[in-house]
Short mmCIF file of all heavy atoms in Angstrom, two decimals:
data_model
loop_
_atom_site.label_atom_id
_atom_site.label_comp_id
_atom_site.label_asym_id
_atom_site.label_seq_id
_atom_site.Cartn_x
_atom_site.Cartn_y
_atom_site.Cartn_z
N THR A 617 104.78 133.50 110.65
CA THR A 617 104.72 134.49 111.71
C THR A 617 103.32 134.53 112.30
O THR A 617 102.34 134.13 111.66
CB THR A 617 105.08 135.90 111.20
OG1 THR A 617 104.12 136.30 110.22
CG2 THR A 617 106.47 135.95 110.61
N ASP A 618 103.24 135.03 113.53
CA ASP A 618 101.92 135.29 114.09
C ASP A 618 101.41 136.61 113.51
O ASP A 618 102.08 137.21 112.65
CB ASP A 618 101.96 135.30 115.62
CG ASP A 618 102.81 136.40 116.23
OD1 ASP A 618 103.14 137.39 115.53
OD2 ASP A 618 103.13 136.29 117.42
N LEU A 619 100.28 137.07 113.94
CA LEU A 619 99.69 138.26 113.35
C LEU A 619 100.39 139.55 113.77
O LEU A 619 100.11 140.61 113.22
CB LEU A 619 98.20 138.33 113.67
CG LEU A 619 97.38 137.17 113.11
CD1 LEU A 619 95.91 137.34 113.41
CD2 LEU A 619 97.62 136.99 111.63
N ASP A 620 101.31 139.45 114.73
CA ASP A 620 102.11 140.60 115.14
C ASP A 620 103.48 140.61 114.47
O ASP A 620 104.32 141.45 114.77
CB ASP A 620 102.27 140.63 116.66
CG ASP A 620 100.94 140.86 117.36
OD1 ASP A 620 100.13 141.67 116.85
OD2 ASP A 620 100.71 140.22 118.40
N GLY A 621 103.73 139.64 113.58
CA GLY A 621 104.99 139.58 112.85
C GLY A 621 106.10 138.81 113.54
O GLY A 621 107.23 138.78 113.06
N ASN A 622 105.80 138.14 114.65
CA ASN A 622 106.80 137.35 115.36
C ASN A 622 106.94 135.98 114.72
O ASN A 622 105.93 135.31 114.43
CB ASN A 622 106.40 137.18 116.83
CG ASN A 622 106.24 138.51 117.52
OD1 ASN A 622 107.13 139.35 117.49
ND2 ASN A 622 105.09 138.71 118.15
N ALA A 623 108.18 135.53 114.50
CA ALA A 623 108.42 134.21 113.93
C ALA A 623 107.87 133.13 114.86
O ALA A 623 108.00 133.23 116.08
CB ALA A 623 109.91 134.00 113.70
N VAL A 624 107.24 132.13 114.27
CA VAL A 624 106.63 131.04 115.04
C VAL A 624 107.03 129.72 114.39
O VAL A 624 106.90 129.55 113.18
CB VAL A 624 105.09 131.15 115.06
CG1 VAL A 624 104.47 129.95 115.76
CG2 VAL A 624 104.64 132.44 115.71
N ASP A 625 107.50 128.79 115.21
CA ASP A 625 107.76 127.43 114.75
C ASP A 625 106.69 126.54 115.38
O ASP A 625 106.75 126.25 116.57
CB ASP A 625 109.15 126.97 115.16
CG ASP A 625 109.47 125.56 114.70
OD1 ASP A 625 108.57 124.89 114.12
OD2 ASP A 625 110.61 125.11 114.91
N PRO A 626 105.70 126.12 114.60
CA PRO A 626 104.61 125.33 115.18
C PRO A 626 105.04 123.93 115.64
O PRO A 626 104.26 123.23 116.29
CB PRO A 626 103.59 125.24 114.05
CG PRO A 626 104.34 125.48 112.81
CD PRO A 626 105.49 126.38 113.18
N PHE A 627 106.26 123.54 115.34
CA PHE A 627 106.71 122.20 115.67
C PHE A 627 107.54 122.13 116.95
O PHE A 627 108.04 121.07 117.29
CB PHE A 627 107.49 121.62 114.49
CG PHE A 627 106.69 121.64 113.22
CD1 PHE A 627 106.94 122.57 112.24
CD2 PHE A 627 105.63 120.75 113.04
CE1 PHE A 627 106.18 122.63 111.08
CE2 PHE A 627 104.86 120.80 111.89
CZ PHE A 627 105.13 121.74 110.92
N THR A 628 107.68 123.24 117.66
CA THR A 628 108.38 123.21 118.93
C THR A 628 107.42 122.74 120.02
O THR A 628 106.21 122.87 119.89
CB THR A 628 108.96 124.59 119.30
OG1 THR A 628 107.89 125.53 119.38
CG2 THR A 628 109.99 125.04 118.29
N GLY A 629 107.96 122.20 121.07
CA GLY A 629 107.12 121.73 122.17
C GLY A 629 106.88 120.25 122.08
O GLY A 629 107.44 119.55 121.24
N ASP A 630 106.02 119.78 122.96
CA ASP A 630 105.82 118.33 123.07
C ASP A 630 104.39 117.90 122.76
O ASP A 630 103.90 116.92 123.31
CB ASP A 630 106.24 117.86 124.45
CG ASP A 630 105.47 118.56 125.56
OD1 ASP A 630 104.66 119.47 125.27
OD2 ASP A 630 105.67 118.19 126.73
N ALA A 631 103.72 118.59 121.89
CA ALA A 631 102.37 118.20 121.50
C ALA A 631 102.39 116.81 120.86
O ALA A 631 103.30 116.51 120.08
CB ALA A 631 101.76 119.21 120.53
N PRO A 632 101.42 115.96 121.17
CA PRO A 632 101.39 114.64 120.54
C PRO A 632 101.11 114.70 119.04
O PRO A 632 101.46 113.78 118.32
CB PRO A 632 100.27 113.91 121.28
CG PRO A 632 99.41 114.99 121.82
CD PRO A 632 100.32 116.16 122.10
N ALA A 633 100.51 115.80 118.60
CA ALA A 633 100.25 116.00 117.16
C ALA A 633 100.10 117.50 116.92
O ALA A 633 99.59 118.24 117.76
CB ALA A 633 99.01 115.27 116.71
N THR A 634 100.59 117.92 115.76
CA THR A 634 100.42 119.30 115.32
C THR A 634 99.65 119.27 114.01
O THR A 634 99.98 118.50 113.11
CB THR A 634 101.79 119.98 115.11
OG1 THR A 634 102.50 119.97 116.36
CG2 THR A 634 101.64 121.41 114.61
N VAL A 635 98.62 120.10 113.94
CA VAL A 635 97.76 120.13 112.76
C VAL A 635 97.83 121.54 112.17
O VAL A 635 97.66 122.53 112.87
CB VAL A 635 96.30 119.79 113.13
CG1 VAL A 635 95.40 119.86 111.90
CG2 VAL A 635 96.22 118.42 113.78
N LEU A 636 98.10 121.60 110.88
CA LEU A 636 98.08 122.85 110.14
C LEU A 636 96.88 122.80 109.20
O LEU A 636 96.78 121.87 108.40
CB LEU A 636 99.36 123.04 109.33
CG LEU A 636 100.68 122.93 110.08
CD1 LEU A 636 101.84 123.08 109.10
CD2 LEU A 636 100.77 123.96 111.20
N VAL A 637 95.99 123.78 109.31
CA VAL A 637 94.86 123.88 108.41
C VAL A 637 95.03 125.16 107.61
O VAL A 637 95.03 126.25 108.17
CB VAL A 637 93.50 123.88 109.14
CG1 VAL A 637 92.36 123.98 108.14
CG2 VAL A 637 93.35 122.62 110.00
N PHE A 638 95.23 125.02 106.32
CA PHE A 638 95.48 126.16 105.44
C PHE A 638 94.14 126.72 104.98
O PHE A 638 93.30 125.99 104.46
CB PHE A 638 96.34 125.71 104.25
CG PHE A 638 97.72 125.30 104.69
CD1 PHE A 638 97.94 124.03 105.22
CD2 PHE A 638 98.79 126.18 104.60
CE1 PHE A 638 99.21 123.65 105.65
CE2 PHE A 638 100.05 125.81 105.04
CZ PHE A 638 100.26 124.55 105.57
N VAL A 639 93.96 128.02 105.22
CA VAL A 639 92.71 128.70 104.89
C VAL A 639 93.02 130.04 104.23
O VAL A 639 94.16 130.50 104.26
CB VAL A 639 91.82 128.92 106.14
CG1 VAL A 639 91.41 127.60 106.77
CG2 VAL A 639 92.54 129.79 107.16
N ALA A 640 91.99 130.64 103.65
CA ALA A 640 92.13 131.98 103.07
C ALA A 640 90.86 132.77 103.34
O ALA A 640 89.76 132.20 103.32
CB ALA A 640 92.38 131.88 101.56
N THR A 641 91.02 134.05 103.59
CA THR A 641 89.87 134.89 103.92
C THR A 641 88.86 134.95 102.79
O THR A 641 87.67 135.07 103.03
CB THR A 641 90.30 136.32 104.29
OG1 THR A 641 90.96 136.91 103.16
CG2 THR A 641 91.22 136.33 105.49
N THR A 642 89.32 134.86 101.55
CA THR A 642 88.43 135.02 100.40
C THR A 642 88.00 133.70 99.77
O THR A 642 87.35 133.71 98.73
CB THR A 642 89.12 135.88 99.32
OG1 THR A 642 90.33 135.23 98.94
CG2 THR A 642 89.41 137.28 99.83
#
């Protein structure tokens, strides 16, 4: 979800590449 609680599929659309970087505040 985004920070407002809306479901997000990062793989929709026609981007040539999708990058997920996993991070943590702490």
Side-chain angles (χ1 to χ4, degrees):
T617 62
D618 64 17
L619 298 183
D620 295 321
N622 301 308
V624 176
D625 180 355
F627 304 104
T628 59
D630 58 356
T634 300
V635 179
L636 306 178
V637 180
F638 294 81
V639 297
T641 61
T642 59

